[in-house]
Short mmCIF file of all heavy atoms in Angstrom, two decimals:
data_model
loop_
_atom_site.label_atom_id
_atom_site.label_comp_id
_atom_site.label_asym_id
_atom_site.label_seq_id
_atom_site.Cartn_x
_atom_site.Cartn_y
_atom_site.Cartn_z
N ILE K 170 -57.78 35.34 -258.29
CA ILE K 170 -58.88 34.59 -257.69
C ILE K 170 -60.04 35.53 -257.39
O ILE K 170 -59.88 36.57 -256.79
CB ILE K 170 -58.44 33.89 -256.41
CG1 ILE K 170 -57.35 32.86 -256.74
CG2 ILE K 170 -59.60 33.22 -255.70
CD1 ILE K 170 -56.76 32.21 -255.51
N SER K 171 -61.24 35.12 -257.84
CA SER K 171 -62.43 35.90 -257.62
C SER K 171 -63.24 35.38 -256.45
O SER K 171 -63.28 34.18 -256.21
CB SER K 171 -63.30 35.87 -258.89
OG SER K 171 -64.58 36.41 -258.63
N GLU K 172 -63.88 36.26 -255.73
CA GLU K 172 -64.75 35.85 -254.63
C GLU K 172 -65.95 35.05 -255.12
O GLU K 172 -66.61 34.38 -254.34
CB GLU K 172 -65.21 37.07 -253.84
CG GLU K 172 -64.07 37.81 -253.15
CD GLU K 172 -64.52 38.98 -252.34
OE1 GLU K 172 -65.73 39.08 -252.05
OE2 GLU K 172 -63.69 39.82 -251.99
N MET K 173 -66.23 35.15 -256.43
CA MET K 173 -67.37 34.39 -257.00
C MET K 173 -67.20 32.89 -256.81
O MET K 173 -68.15 32.14 -256.83
CB MET K 173 -67.52 34.73 -258.48
CG MET K 173 -67.89 36.18 -258.77
SD MET K 173 -69.44 36.65 -257.98
CE MET K 173 -70.59 35.64 -258.92
N ALA K 174 -65.92 32.46 -256.62
CA ALA K 174 -65.68 31.01 -256.41
C ALA K 174 -66.35 30.47 -255.16
O ALA K 174 -66.53 29.28 -255.01
CB ALA K 174 -64.19 30.76 -256.36
N GLU K 175 -66.76 31.39 -254.26
CA GLU K 175 -67.37 30.97 -253.00
C GLU K 175 -68.66 30.17 -253.21
O GLU K 175 -69.03 29.36 -252.35
CB GLU K 175 -67.69 32.17 -252.14
CG GLU K 175 -66.46 32.96 -251.68
CD GLU K 175 -66.86 34.28 -251.07
OE1 GLU K 175 -68.01 34.40 -250.62
OE2 GLU K 175 -66.03 35.18 -251.04
N SER K 176 -69.34 30.40 -254.30
CA SER K 176 -70.66 29.81 -254.50
C SER K 176 -70.63 28.29 -254.53
O SER K 176 -71.64 27.64 -254.27
CB SER K 176 -71.30 30.33 -255.79
OG SER K 176 -70.48 29.98 -256.90
N SER K 177 -69.47 27.68 -254.83
CA SER K 177 -69.41 26.23 -254.92
C SER K 177 -68.78 25.57 -253.70
O SER K 177 -68.42 24.41 -253.72
CB SER K 177 -68.62 25.83 -256.18
OG SER K 177 -67.28 26.31 -256.09
N PHE K 178 -68.66 26.36 -252.60
CA PHE K 178 -68.02 25.83 -251.41
C PHE K 178 -68.96 25.82 -250.21
O PHE K 178 -70.02 26.47 -250.20
CB PHE K 178 -66.76 26.66 -251.08
CG PHE K 178 -65.63 26.41 -252.01
CD1 PHE K 178 -65.56 27.05 -253.23
CD2 PHE K 178 -64.64 25.48 -251.69
CE1 PHE K 178 -64.52 26.80 -254.10
CE2 PHE K 178 -63.62 25.22 -252.56
CZ PHE K 178 -63.54 25.87 -253.77
N LYS K 179 -68.56 25.07 -249.18
CA LYS K 179 -69.39 24.89 -247.99
C LYS K 179 -69.25 26.11 -247.07
O LYS K 179 -68.54 26.11 -246.08
CB LYS K 179 -68.95 23.63 -247.23
CG LYS K 179 -69.16 22.35 -248.00
CD LYS K 179 -68.60 21.17 -247.22
CE LYS K 179 -68.74 19.87 -248.00
NZ LYS K 179 -68.12 18.73 -247.29
N ILE K 180 -69.97 27.17 -247.46
CA ILE K 180 -69.94 28.43 -246.72
C ILE K 180 -71.38 28.79 -246.39
O ILE K 180 -72.26 28.71 -247.26
CB ILE K 180 -69.29 29.54 -247.56
CG1 ILE K 180 -67.81 29.19 -247.83
CG2 ILE K 180 -69.39 30.89 -246.87
CD1 ILE K 180 -67.11 30.14 -248.74
N ILE K 181 -71.62 29.18 -245.14
CA ILE K 181 -72.99 29.50 -244.75
C ILE K 181 -73.58 30.55 -245.67
O ILE K 181 -72.90 31.45 -246.15
CB ILE K 181 -73.06 29.94 -243.28
CG1 ILE K 181 -72.18 31.16 -243.02
CG2 ILE K 181 -72.68 28.80 -242.36
CD1 ILE K 181 -72.36 31.75 -241.64
N THR K 182 -74.88 30.42 -245.90
CA THR K 182 -75.57 31.19 -246.95
C THR K 182 -75.37 32.70 -246.82
O THR K 182 -75.20 33.41 -247.83
CB THR K 182 -77.07 30.88 -246.92
OG1 THR K 182 -77.25 29.48 -247.09
CG2 THR K 182 -77.81 31.62 -248.03
N SER K 183 -75.37 33.23 -245.62
CA SER K 183 -75.28 34.68 -245.44
C SER K 183 -73.96 35.26 -245.95
O SER K 183 -73.86 36.46 -246.20
CB SER K 183 -75.45 35.04 -243.95
OG SER K 183 -74.45 34.41 -243.17
N TYR K 184 -72.93 34.41 -246.12
CA TYR K 184 -71.64 34.87 -246.58
C TYR K 184 -71.41 34.65 -248.07
O TYR K 184 -70.39 35.09 -248.61
CB TYR K 184 -70.50 34.18 -245.80
CG TYR K 184 -70.03 34.95 -244.61
CD1 TYR K 184 -70.31 34.52 -243.31
CD2 TYR K 184 -69.28 36.11 -244.74
CE1 TYR K 184 -69.87 35.23 -242.20
CE2 TYR K 184 -68.83 36.82 -243.64
CZ TYR K 184 -69.13 36.37 -242.38
OH TYR K 184 -68.67 37.06 -241.27
N LYS K 185 -72.32 33.98 -248.74
CA LYS K 185 -72.12 33.67 -250.15
C LYS K 185 -71.87 34.95 -250.96
O LYS K 185 -72.68 35.87 -250.96
CB LYS K 185 -73.33 32.94 -250.72
CG LYS K 185 -73.53 31.54 -250.15
CD LYS K 185 -72.47 30.58 -250.61
CE LYS K 185 -72.77 29.14 -250.16
NZ LYS K 185 -71.75 28.20 -250.57
N GLY K 186 -70.74 34.99 -251.64
CA GLY K 186 -70.42 36.15 -252.46
C GLY K 186 -69.98 37.36 -251.67
O GLY K 186 -69.74 38.42 -252.26
N LYS K 187 -69.86 37.25 -250.35
CA LYS K 187 -69.52 38.41 -249.52
C LYS K 187 -68.30 38.16 -248.64
O LYS K 187 -67.89 39.07 -247.91
CB LYS K 187 -70.72 38.76 -248.63
CG LYS K 187 -71.99 39.11 -249.40
CD LYS K 187 -73.16 39.35 -248.44
CE LYS K 187 -74.44 39.63 -249.20
NZ LYS K 187 -75.60 39.83 -248.29
N LEU K 188 -67.72 37.00 -248.69
CA LEU K 188 -66.59 36.68 -247.84
C LEU K 188 -65.31 37.24 -248.44
O LEU K 188 -65.02 37.00 -249.62
CB LEU K 188 -66.47 35.17 -247.69
CG LEU K 188 -65.39 34.63 -246.74
CD1 LEU K 188 -65.60 35.15 -245.34
CD2 LEU K 188 -65.37 33.11 -246.77
N GLY K 189 -64.56 37.98 -247.63
CA GLY K 189 -63.30 38.55 -248.11
C GLY K 189 -62.33 37.51 -248.60
O GLY K 189 -62.29 36.37 -248.08
N ILE K 190 -61.52 37.86 -249.60
CA ILE K 190 -60.69 36.87 -250.26
C ILE K 190 -59.65 36.29 -249.30
O ILE K 190 -59.29 35.12 -249.40
CB ILE K 190 -60.00 37.49 -251.49
CG1 ILE K 190 -59.51 36.41 -252.45
CG2 ILE K 190 -58.90 38.46 -251.12
CD1 ILE K 190 -60.59 35.60 -253.07
N ASP K 191 -59.15 37.09 -248.34
CA ASP K 191 -58.16 36.55 -247.41
C ASP K 191 -58.80 35.53 -246.47
O ASP K 191 -58.19 34.48 -246.19
CB ASP K 191 -57.50 37.68 -246.61
CG ASP K 191 -58.50 38.64 -246.00
OD1 ASP K 191 -59.70 38.59 -246.34
OD2 ASP K 191 -58.08 39.45 -245.17
N ARG K 192 -60.00 35.79 -246.01
CA ARG K 192 -60.69 34.84 -245.14
C ARG K 192 -61.06 33.57 -245.92
O ARG K 192 -60.99 32.44 -245.40
CB ARG K 192 -61.94 35.47 -244.53
CG ARG K 192 -61.65 36.65 -243.63
CD ARG K 192 -62.90 37.38 -243.24
NE ARG K 192 -63.71 36.62 -242.29
CZ ARG K 192 -64.97 36.93 -241.98
NH1 ARG K 192 -65.57 37.97 -242.56
NH2 ARG K 192 -65.63 36.21 -241.09
N PHE K 193 -61.44 33.74 -247.17
CA PHE K 193 -61.77 32.61 -248.04
C PHE K 193 -60.56 31.71 -248.24
O PHE K 193 -60.63 30.48 -248.12
CB PHE K 193 -62.29 33.15 -249.37
CG PHE K 193 -62.71 32.09 -250.36
CD1 PHE K 193 -63.34 30.93 -249.96
CD2 PHE K 193 -62.50 32.27 -251.71
CE1 PHE K 193 -63.75 29.96 -250.88
CE2 PHE K 193 -62.89 31.32 -252.64
CZ PHE K 193 -63.51 30.16 -252.22
N MET K 194 -59.39 32.30 -248.52
CA MET K 194 -58.19 31.54 -248.72
C MET K 194 -57.73 30.85 -247.43
O MET K 194 -57.24 29.72 -247.44
CB MET K 194 -57.06 32.42 -249.26
CG MET K 194 -57.27 32.91 -250.67
SD MET K 194 -57.39 31.57 -251.88
CE MET K 194 -59.16 31.46 -252.05
N ASN K 195 -57.88 31.53 -246.30
CA ASN K 195 -57.56 30.89 -245.01
C ASN K 195 -58.44 29.66 -244.77
O ASN K 195 -57.97 28.64 -244.26
CB ASN K 195 -57.76 31.90 -243.87
CG ASN K 195 -56.60 32.85 -243.71
OD1 ASN K 195 -55.48 32.54 -244.08
ND2 ASN K 195 -56.86 34.01 -243.16
N TYR K 196 -59.70 29.78 -245.15
CA TYR K 196 -60.64 28.65 -245.00
C TYR K 196 -60.21 27.47 -245.87
O TYR K 196 -60.11 26.32 -245.41
CB TYR K 196 -62.05 29.12 -245.37
CG TYR K 196 -63.01 28.04 -245.78
CD1 TYR K 196 -63.32 26.97 -244.95
CD2 TYR K 196 -63.61 28.09 -247.04
CE1 TYR K 196 -64.21 25.99 -245.34
CE2 TYR K 196 -64.51 27.12 -247.42
CZ TYR K 196 -64.80 26.07 -246.59
OH TYR K 196 -65.70 25.09 -246.98
N ILE K 197 -59.91 27.73 -247.15
CA ILE K 197 -59.49 26.65 -248.06
C ILE K 197 -58.18 26.03 -247.58
O ILE K 197 -58.01 24.81 -247.57
CB ILE K 197 -59.35 27.18 -249.49
CG1 ILE K 197 -60.69 27.69 -250.02
CG2 ILE K 197 -58.78 26.10 -250.41
CD1 ILE K 197 -61.74 26.62 -250.12
N GLY K 198 -57.25 26.87 -247.14
CA GLY K 198 -55.98 26.37 -246.63
C GLY K 198 -56.15 25.49 -245.40
O GLY K 198 -55.49 24.46 -245.26
N THR K 199 -57.07 25.88 -244.53
CA THR K 199 -57.33 25.11 -243.31
C THR K 199 -57.92 23.74 -243.64
O THR K 199 -57.49 22.71 -243.09
CB THR K 199 -58.26 25.89 -242.39
OG1 THR K 199 -57.61 27.07 -241.96
CG2 THR K 199 -58.67 25.06 -241.17
N VAL K 200 -58.89 23.71 -244.51
CA VAL K 200 -59.51 22.43 -244.89
C VAL K 200 -58.49 21.53 -245.58
O VAL K 200 -58.49 20.32 -245.40
CB VAL K 200 -60.73 22.69 -245.80
CG1 VAL K 200 -61.26 21.37 -246.39
CG2 VAL K 200 -61.83 23.40 -245.05
N ASP K 201 -57.60 22.14 -246.38
CA ASP K 201 -56.57 21.34 -247.04
C ASP K 201 -55.60 20.73 -246.05
O ASP K 201 -55.22 19.54 -246.16
CB ASP K 201 -55.83 22.24 -248.03
CG ASP K 201 -54.75 21.48 -248.80
OD1 ASP K 201 -55.07 20.44 -249.40
OD2 ASP K 201 -53.59 21.91 -248.78
N LEU K 202 -55.18 21.50 -245.07
CA LEU K 202 -54.19 21.02 -244.10
C LEU K 202 -54.78 20.16 -242.99
O LEU K 202 -54.16 19.22 -242.54
CB LEU K 202 -53.48 22.22 -243.46
CG LEU K 202 -52.49 22.98 -244.34
CD1 LEU K 202 -52.08 24.29 -243.66
CD2 LEU K 202 -51.25 22.13 -244.62
N TYR K 203 -56.01 20.53 -242.55
CA TYR K 203 -56.60 19.88 -241.39
C TYR K 203 -58.05 19.46 -241.66
O TYR K 203 -58.98 19.98 -241.04
CB TYR K 203 -56.55 20.82 -240.17
CG TYR K 203 -55.14 21.28 -239.87
CD1 TYR K 203 -54.73 22.58 -240.23
CD2 TYR K 203 -54.22 20.45 -239.26
CE1 TYR K 203 -53.44 23.01 -239.96
CE2 TYR K 203 -52.92 20.88 -239.00
CZ TYR K 203 -52.54 22.15 -239.34
OH TYR K 203 -51.25 22.59 -239.09
N PRO K 204 -58.26 18.54 -242.60
CA PRO K 204 -59.62 18.12 -242.93
C PRO K 204 -60.30 17.45 -241.74
O PRO K 204 -59.67 16.67 -241.01
CB PRO K 204 -59.42 17.14 -244.10
CG PRO K 204 -58.00 16.65 -243.93
CD PRO K 204 -57.23 17.81 -243.38
N PHE K 205 -61.56 17.79 -241.54
CA PHE K 205 -62.43 17.20 -240.53
C PHE K 205 -62.00 17.53 -239.09
O PHE K 205 -62.47 16.92 -238.14
CB PHE K 205 -62.51 15.67 -240.71
CG PHE K 205 -62.92 15.25 -242.08
CD1 PHE K 205 -62.06 14.49 -242.87
CD2 PHE K 205 -64.16 15.63 -242.62
CE1 PHE K 205 -62.43 14.12 -244.15
CE2 PHE K 205 -64.52 15.25 -243.90
CZ PHE K 205 -63.65 14.49 -244.67
N ILE K 206 -61.09 18.51 -238.95
CA ILE K 206 -60.72 18.98 -237.60
C ILE K 206 -61.34 20.35 -237.39
O ILE K 206 -60.95 21.31 -238.03
CB ILE K 206 -59.18 19.07 -237.44
CG1 ILE K 206 -58.54 17.70 -237.63
CG2 ILE K 206 -58.83 19.63 -236.05
CD1 ILE K 206 -57.02 17.71 -237.57
N PRO K 207 -62.34 20.47 -236.50
CA PRO K 207 -62.97 21.78 -236.27
C PRO K 207 -61.94 22.77 -235.73
O PRO K 207 -61.28 22.48 -234.73
CB PRO K 207 -64.07 21.48 -235.27
CG PRO K 207 -63.69 20.16 -234.63
CD PRO K 207 -62.91 19.40 -235.65
N SER K 208 -61.82 23.90 -236.42
CA SER K 208 -60.72 24.82 -236.12
C SER K 208 -61.19 26.27 -236.02
O SER K 208 -62.18 26.67 -236.66
CB SER K 208 -59.65 24.73 -237.22
OG SER K 208 -59.17 23.42 -237.40
N LEU K 209 -60.47 27.02 -235.22
CA LEU K 209 -60.63 28.47 -235.17
C LEU K 209 -59.44 29.08 -235.91
O LEU K 209 -58.29 28.79 -235.59
CB LEU K 209 -60.62 28.96 -233.71
CG LEU K 209 -61.04 30.43 -233.50
CD1 LEU K 209 -62.56 30.56 -233.61
CD2 LEU K 209 -60.56 30.92 -232.13
N ILE K 210 -59.73 29.88 -236.94
CA ILE K 210 -58.67 30.49 -237.74
C ILE K 210 -58.50 31.94 -237.28
O ILE K 210 -59.43 32.75 -237.35
CB ILE K 210 -59.04 30.49 -239.24
CG1 ILE K 210 -59.45 29.10 -239.71
CG2 ILE K 210 -57.87 31.03 -240.06
CD1 ILE K 210 -60.07 29.09 -241.09
N VAL K 211 -57.30 32.28 -236.84
CA VAL K 211 -57.00 33.63 -236.40
C VAL K 211 -55.96 34.24 -237.34
O VAL K 211 -54.84 33.74 -237.43
CB VAL K 211 -56.47 33.64 -234.95
CG1 VAL K 211 -56.05 35.06 -234.54
CG2 VAL K 211 -57.53 33.09 -233.99
N ASP K 212 -56.34 35.31 -238.03
CA ASP K 212 -55.44 36.01 -238.93
C ASP K 212 -55.15 37.38 -238.33
O ASP K 212 -56.02 38.25 -238.33
CB ASP K 212 -56.07 36.15 -240.32
CG ASP K 212 -55.07 36.61 -241.38
OD1 ASP K 212 -54.05 37.23 -241.01
OD2 ASP K 212 -55.29 36.35 -242.57
N ALA K 213 -53.94 37.56 -237.84
CA ALA K 213 -53.56 38.80 -237.20
C ALA K 213 -52.79 39.66 -238.15
O ALA K 213 -51.55 39.62 -238.24
CB ALA K 213 -52.71 38.52 -235.95
N GLY K 214 -53.52 40.45 -238.94
CA GLY K 214 -52.92 41.33 -239.93
C GLY K 214 -53.38 42.76 -239.70
O GLY K 214 -53.51 43.20 -238.55
N SER K 215 -53.69 43.46 -240.78
CA SER K 215 -54.20 44.83 -240.65
C SER K 215 -55.45 44.82 -239.80
O SER K 215 -55.68 45.72 -238.97
CB SER K 215 -54.50 45.41 -242.04
OG SER K 215 -53.32 45.46 -242.82
N ALA K 216 -56.30 43.83 -240.00
CA ALA K 216 -57.45 43.55 -239.13
C ALA K 216 -57.22 42.22 -238.45
O ALA K 216 -56.39 41.41 -238.91
CB ALA K 216 -58.74 43.53 -239.93
N LEU K 217 -57.91 42.01 -237.34
CA LEU K 217 -57.89 40.71 -236.67
C LEU K 217 -59.16 39.98 -237.08
O LEU K 217 -60.27 40.41 -236.74
CB LEU K 217 -57.83 40.89 -235.16
CG LEU K 217 -57.89 39.59 -234.34
CD1 LEU K 217 -56.62 38.78 -234.53
CD2 LEU K 217 -58.08 39.90 -232.85
N THR K 218 -59.01 38.89 -237.83
CA THR K 218 -60.18 38.09 -238.20
C THR K 218 -60.11 36.77 -237.47
O THR K 218 -59.05 36.15 -237.34
CB THR K 218 -60.25 37.84 -239.72
OG1 THR K 218 -59.12 37.10 -240.14
CG2 THR K 218 -60.29 39.18 -240.47
N ILE K 219 -61.28 36.32 -236.98
CA ILE K 219 -61.40 35.09 -236.22
C ILE K 219 -62.56 34.30 -236.83
O ILE K 219 -63.72 34.75 -236.75
CB ILE K 219 -61.64 35.34 -234.74
CG1 ILE K 219 -60.52 36.22 -234.17
CG2 ILE K 219 -61.78 34.05 -233.97
CD1 ILE K 219 -60.73 36.62 -232.71
N ASP K 220 -62.27 33.16 -237.45
CA ASP K 220 -63.29 32.42 -238.16
C ASP K 220 -63.33 30.96 -237.72
O ASP K 220 -62.37 30.41 -237.21
CB ASP K 220 -63.02 32.47 -239.67
CG ASP K 220 -63.18 33.87 -240.23
OD1 ASP K 220 -64.20 34.51 -239.93
OD2 ASP K 220 -62.30 34.34 -240.94
N VAL K 221 -64.50 30.33 -237.95
CA VAL K 221 -64.73 28.96 -237.50
C VAL K 221 -64.97 28.03 -238.69
O VAL K 221 -65.76 28.36 -239.58
CB VAL K 221 -65.94 28.88 -236.56
CG1 VAL K 221 -66.18 27.45 -236.10
CG2 VAL K 221 -65.76 29.82 -235.36
N VAL K 222 -64.28 26.90 -238.70
CA VAL K 222 -64.54 25.83 -239.64
C VAL K 222 -64.95 24.59 -238.85
O VAL K 222 -64.26 24.22 -237.90
CB VAL K 222 -63.29 25.48 -240.48
CG1 VAL K 222 -63.58 24.32 -241.42
CG2 VAL K 222 -62.85 26.70 -241.29
N ASP K 223 -66.09 23.99 -239.18
CA ASP K 223 -66.58 22.88 -238.37
C ASP K 223 -66.02 21.53 -238.85
O ASP K 223 -65.23 21.50 -239.81
CB ASP K 223 -68.12 22.87 -238.32
CG ASP K 223 -68.78 22.54 -239.66
OD1 ASP K 223 -68.11 21.98 -240.55
OD2 ASP K 223 -69.98 22.85 -239.80
N ARG K 224 -66.42 20.46 -238.21
CA ARG K 224 -65.87 19.13 -238.52
C ARG K 224 -66.29 18.64 -239.90
O ARG K 224 -65.72 17.67 -240.43
CB ARG K 224 -66.28 18.13 -237.45
CG ARG K 224 -67.77 17.81 -237.38
CD ARG K 224 -68.07 16.70 -236.39
NE ARG K 224 -67.78 17.09 -235.01
CZ ARG K 224 -66.74 16.63 -234.31
NH1 ARG K 224 -65.87 15.79 -234.86
NH2 ARG K 224 -66.55 17.03 -233.07
N ASP K 225 -67.31 19.27 -240.53
CA ASP K 225 -67.74 18.91 -241.87
C ASP K 225 -67.08 19.77 -242.93
O ASP K 225 -67.53 19.78 -244.08
CB ASP K 225 -69.26 18.99 -241.98
CG ASP K 225 -69.97 18.01 -241.07
OD1 ASP K 225 -69.51 16.86 -240.98
OD2 ASP K 225 -70.98 18.38 -240.43
N CYS K 226 -66.05 20.50 -242.55
CA CYS K 226 -65.30 21.37 -243.48
C CYS K 226 -66.14 22.53 -243.96
O CYS K 226 -65.94 23.04 -245.08
CB CYS K 226 -64.75 20.59 -244.67
SG CYS K 226 -63.68 19.21 -244.20
N CYS K 227 -67.10 22.97 -243.16
CA CYS K 227 -67.96 24.10 -243.53
C CYS K 227 -67.52 25.37 -242.80
O CYS K 227 -67.24 25.34 -241.59
CB CYS K 227 -69.41 23.79 -243.16
SG CYS K 227 -70.57 25.12 -243.53
N PHE K 228 -67.46 26.47 -243.53
CA PHE K 228 -67.15 27.77 -242.95
C PHE K 228 -68.41 28.28 -242.25
O PHE K 228 -69.44 28.50 -242.88
CB PHE K 228 -66.73 28.75 -244.06
CG PHE K 228 -66.40 30.13 -243.55
CD1 PHE K 228 -65.10 30.45 -243.18
CD2 PHE K 228 -67.37 31.11 -243.46
CE1 PHE K 228 -64.79 31.72 -242.73
CE2 PHE K 228 -67.06 32.37 -243.00
CZ PHE K 228 -65.77 32.69 -242.63
N ARG K 229 -68.32 28.50 -240.93
CA ARG K 229 -69.47 28.85 -240.14
C ARG K 229 -69.60 30.33 -239.84
O ARG K 229 -70.59 30.79 -239.28
CB ARG K 229 -69.44 28.08 -238.81
CG ARG K 229 -69.36 26.58 -238.93
CD ARG K 229 -70.50 25.98 -239.73
NE ARG K 229 -71.79 26.38 -239.20
CZ ARG K 229 -72.95 25.93 -239.67
NH1 ARG K 229 -72.97 25.08 -240.68
NH2 ARG K 229 -74.09 26.34 -239.15
N GLY K 230 -68.59 31.14 -240.18
CA GLY K 230 -68.65 32.57 -239.89
C GLY K 230 -67.56 32.97 -238.90
O GLY K 230 -66.72 32.16 -238.51
N GLY K 231 -67.58 34.22 -238.51
CA GLY K 231 -66.55 34.67 -237.58
C GLY K 231 -66.68 36.15 -237.23
O GLY K 231 -67.73 36.75 -237.38
N ASN K 232 -65.59 36.72 -236.75
CA ASN K 232 -65.57 38.10 -236.28
C ASN K 232 -64.43 38.87 -236.94
O ASN K 232 -63.38 38.28 -237.29
CB ASN K 232 -65.37 38.15 -234.76
CG ASN K 232 -66.48 37.42 -234.00
OD1 ASN K 232 -67.62 37.40 -234.45
ND2 ASN K 232 -66.11 36.80 -232.90
N ILE K 233 -64.61 40.19 -237.05
CA ILE K 233 -63.57 41.09 -237.54
C ILE K 233 -63.45 42.24 -236.56
O ILE K 233 -64.44 42.84 -236.17
CB ILE K 233 -63.89 41.64 -238.95
CG1 ILE K 233 -64.12 40.50 -239.95
CG2 ILE K 233 -62.78 42.58 -239.42
CD1 ILE K 233 -64.58 41.01 -241.31
N SER K 234 -62.21 42.56 -236.17
CA SER K 234 -61.96 43.70 -235.30
C SER K 234 -60.64 44.35 -235.72
O SER K 234 -59.90 43.79 -236.55
CB SER K 234 -61.94 43.26 -233.83
OG SER K 234 -60.86 42.38 -233.59
N PRO K 235 -60.31 45.51 -235.18
CA PRO K 235 -59.04 46.16 -235.58
C PRO K 235 -57.85 45.30 -235.25
O PRO K 235 -57.80 44.60 -234.24
CB PRO K 235 -59.06 47.46 -234.74
CG PRO K 235 -60.49 47.70 -234.43
CD PRO K 235 -61.10 46.35 -234.27
N GLY K 236 -56.82 45.38 -236.11
CA GLY K 236 -55.58 44.68 -235.86
C GLY K 236 -54.68 45.42 -234.88
O GLY K 236 -55.04 46.50 -234.37
N TYR K 237 -53.54 44.84 -234.62
CA TYR K 237 -52.61 45.36 -233.61
C TYR K 237 -52.20 46.81 -233.89
O TYR K 237 -52.40 47.71 -233.06
CB TYR K 237 -51.39 44.45 -233.57
CG TYR K 237 -50.31 44.85 -232.59
CD1 TYR K 237 -50.61 45.47 -231.39
CD2 TYR K 237 -48.99 44.57 -232.87
CE1 TYR K 237 -49.61 45.82 -230.49
CE2 TYR K 237 -47.97 44.88 -231.98
CZ TYR K 237 -48.29 45.53 -230.79
OH TYR K 237 -47.28 45.85 -229.92
N VAL K 238 -51.64 47.06 -235.05
CA VAL K 238 -51.18 48.42 -235.39
C VAL K 238 -52.34 49.39 -235.45
O VAL K 238 -52.24 50.53 -235.00
CB VAL K 238 -50.40 48.40 -236.73
CG1 VAL K 238 -50.08 49.82 -237.18
CG2 VAL K 238 -49.13 47.59 -236.59
N MET K 239 -53.47 48.95 -236.00
CA MET K 239 -54.63 49.81 -236.08
C MET K 239 -55.10 50.26 -234.69
O MET K 239 -55.51 51.40 -234.48
CB MET K 239 -55.78 49.10 -236.83
CG MET K 239 -56.92 49.99 -237.21
SD MET K 239 -58.27 49.08 -238.03
CE MET K 239 -57.41 48.41 -239.48
N ARG K 240 -55.06 49.37 -233.72
CA ARG K 240 -55.48 49.71 -232.36
C ARG K 240 -54.54 50.76 -231.76
O ARG K 240 -54.99 51.70 -231.08
CB ARG K 240 -55.52 48.45 -231.48
CG ARG K 240 -56.56 47.46 -231.93
CD ARG K 240 -56.60 46.21 -231.05
NE ARG K 240 -57.35 45.16 -231.71
CZ ARG K 240 -58.22 44.34 -231.11
NH1 ARG K 240 -58.41 44.44 -229.82
NH2 ARG K 240 -58.86 43.42 -231.77
N LEU K 241 -53.25 50.60 -232.01
CA LEU K 241 -52.29 51.59 -231.53
C LEU K 241 -52.55 52.95 -232.19
O LEU K 241 -52.51 54.00 -231.50
CB LEU K 241 -50.86 51.13 -231.84
CG LEU K 241 -50.35 49.88 -231.12
CD1 LEU K 241 -49.00 49.47 -231.67
CD2 LEU K 241 -50.28 50.10 -229.63
N GLU K 242 -52.83 52.94 -233.46
CA GLU K 242 -53.06 54.19 -234.21
C GLU K 242 -54.34 54.88 -233.73
O GLU K 242 -54.37 56.12 -233.58
CB GLU K 242 -53.13 53.90 -235.70
CG GLU K 242 -51.79 53.51 -236.31
CD GLU K 242 -51.89 53.07 -237.74
OE1 GLU K 242 -53.03 52.81 -238.22
OE2 GLU K 242 -50.86 53.03 -238.42
#
Side-chain angles (χ1 to χ4, degrees):
I170 296 174
S171 168
E172 296 181 16
M173 295 301 292
E175 295 169 22
S176 61
S177 62
F178 287 83
K179 297 176 182 176
I180 297 175
I181 58 173
T182 303
S183 59
Y184 267 109
K185 292 291 186 181
K187 300 176 183 178
L188 184 60
I190 199 66
D191 50 348
R192 297 171 72 193
F193 182 37
M194 291 299 99
N195 280 334
Y196 158 58
I197 297 298
T199 295
V200 172
D201 181 54
L202 288 169
Y203 304 103
F205 307 118
I206 299 177
S208 304
L209 191 77
I210 308 169
V211 175
D212 191 337
S215 299
L217 177 67
T218 62
I219 303 175
D220 294 312
V221 180
V222 177
D223 68 19
R224 66 174 67 254
D225 296 319
C226 302
C227 179
F228 181 90
R229 304 302 306 184
N232 301 327
I233 303 174
S234 64
Y237 179 33
V238 172
M239 192 182 300
R240 295 181 195 221
L241 295 173
E242 291 174 344

